[in-house]
Amino acid sequence: MSYMDDCGPDCQETLREVERFLDGELQVEAALHVRIEEHLSACSPCMERAEFRRHLKILVSRKCVQSEVPAAFETRILRMIRELDTAE
C-alpha cells in the first residue's frame, strides 16, 4: 500500500500539482493555486512532501552549476520522485 492509497482526492490533486505550485506556475490558475495552498496549510503529510521537494529544488540548484540539466539526469530524478510517491 502506498501513501497515495491512503489519500483522498484533495491530497492526490495537491501532490500531482505540487511541482507546478512550487515553481510558481499555478499563479495564472488562481483557483487551483488557492486550493493547493489551502490544502497544504491543513494537511501535514502533503506539506511535508512539498517541503521535501522545495528543499530538493534548492539543493539541486545550488549543486548543479551547468546552465542546462542533462535530459538523462532529469529523467532519472523524476523517476526517483515518482517511485518515492508510490513507495509511501
Side-chain angles (χ1 to χ4, degrees):
M1 183 183 279
S2 74
Y3 171 80
M4 293 296 286
D5 293 334
D6 296 335
C7 293
D10 291 340
C11 291
Q12 292 173 6
E13 176 185 37
T14 297
L15 295 176
R16 270 194 312 271
E17 300 293 348
V18 74
E19 295 298 325
R20 292 177 54 209
F21 177 82
L22 293 172
D23 291 341
E25 296 174 8
L26 293 183
Q27 293 181 0
V28 295
E29 299 175 50
L32 180 57
H33 179 86
V34 169
R35 276 199 319 268
I36 301 298
E37 195 170 59
E38 288 175 350
H39 181 82
L40 290 174
S41 69
C43 181
S44 295
C46 286
M47 177 57 92
E48 289 174 18
R49 294 178 74 79
E51 282 299 302
F52 171 80
R53 289 181 174 176
R54 186 178 69 78
H55 288 291
L56 179 62
K57 285 177 176 291
I58 291 168
L59 179 66
V60 169
S61 70
R62 287 182 182 161
K63 298 296 181 183
C64 294
V65 292
Q66 290 181 325
S67 60
E68 285 189 36
V69 175
F73 179 72
E74 182 179 358
T75 300
R76 184 173 163 214
I77 293 296
L78 291 172
R79 184 176 59 243
M80 290 171 67
I81 290 171
R82 282 191 296 273
E83 288 171 1
L84 285 172
D85 283 345
T86 59
E88 294 182 353

